[in-house]
Structure formats: C-alpha cells, structure tokens
Amino acid sequence: MDISPTAMVSAVVANKQAQLEQQVQVSVLKTALDAQATGALALLQAMPAVMPLAPSGNLGTQVNLYV
C-alpha cells in the first residue's frame, strides 16, 4: 500500500486539528462547570443559617421543615 506524502501530511494535520478541537471543548466544559459551581455556592450562601419560626398563625409556629 503506497501512501503519498500529501495524504500523510493531510492526515497528520487533521489529527492535530481534532486534538485542538477536543482541548477547546474540554476547556469550555470546565469553564461552564466552574460558573455553575460559583452560582450554586452563591445560592447556598444566600440562604439564612436558621429560619425563624412564624410569630403567629396555624402553620410554622412549632416546627421548621426544609424540603
């Protein structure tokens, strides 16, 4: 099987391009995951540590329930 130098160079270039595209995709995924983690942490930190009981009424005056 005789492969021309041009075909070999084309195959190498295509392989390098595919590797670069994969690296870019992984980088974008990591950036998106970092952004989601930052957003989730901000939401968790925004929650009050202890929810006070309701001062009056039929509901929420005895037990706090997190669902």
Side-chain angles (χ1 to χ4, degrees):
M1 180 183 214
D2 189 22
I3 299 177
S4 70
T6 305
M8 290 176 63
V9 169
S10 295
V12 169
V13 169
N15 188 22
K16 291 290 184 183
Q17 185 176 3
Q19 288 176 349
L20 177 62
E21 288 175 5
Q22 187 177 24
Q23 288 174 348
V24 168
Q25 289 172 349
V26 168
S27 177
V28 168
L29 176 62
K30 286 180 181 180
T31 303
L33 289 175
D34 288 344
Q36 285 183 344
T38 302
L41 183 60
L43 286 174
L44 289 173
Q45 289 175 342
M47 289 182 57
V50 176
M51 296 284 292
L53 293 174
S56 64
N58 294 332
L59 298 174
T61 59
Q62 302 296 320
V63 177
N64 279 337
L65 179 64
Y66 288 100
V67 178

